[in-house]
Amino acid sequence: IKQIILLNIQHMLLPVLDVLSNTLKQKPLAADIADAWTRLYDVIANLIDIFREVERRASLSKTRGSIASN
């Protein structure tokens, strides 16, 4: 799942970089700007992965708790 999220985030990044390039009238977009946005999208993908793992563990914990009480 993590790889799928990362690929989706990277796929969304390319149009964002294109819009930035057009808005800033920079062809090609400056490397430091592209790198900053790429890192931001990487952080977002990692946060999604972390929160999904937390939710997964919480769900497993609830399931185990209900099984143990039966």
Side-chain angles (χ1 to χ4, degrees):
I1 291 179
K2 181 178 182 178
Q3 198 65 9
I4 293 169
I5 294 169
L6 184 58
L7 291 175
N8 286 337
I9 297 291
Q10 288 172 342
H11 181 72
M12 292 186 318
L13 177 62
L14 295 176
V16 169
L17 293 177
D18 190 42
V19 168
L20 280 170
S21 177
N22 290 333
T23 303
L24 298 174
K25 296 177 177 49
Q26 291 185 9
K27 301 258 185 198
L29 188 62
D32 58 337
I33 295 172
D35 184 53
W37 280 90
T38 301
R39 288 176 189 249
L40 174 63
Y41 271 63
D42 188 48
V43 167
I44 292 168
N46 287 327
L47 286 172
I48 291 169
D49 187 49
I50 289 167
F51 284 111
R52 280 193 172 180
E53 181 63 19
V54 167
E55 288 298 314
R56 186 188 71 79
R57 289 183 183 189
S59 176
L60 287 175
S61 177
K62 288 177 186 176
T63 303
R64 289 181 185 152
S66 67
I67 292 172
S69 64
N70 287 334

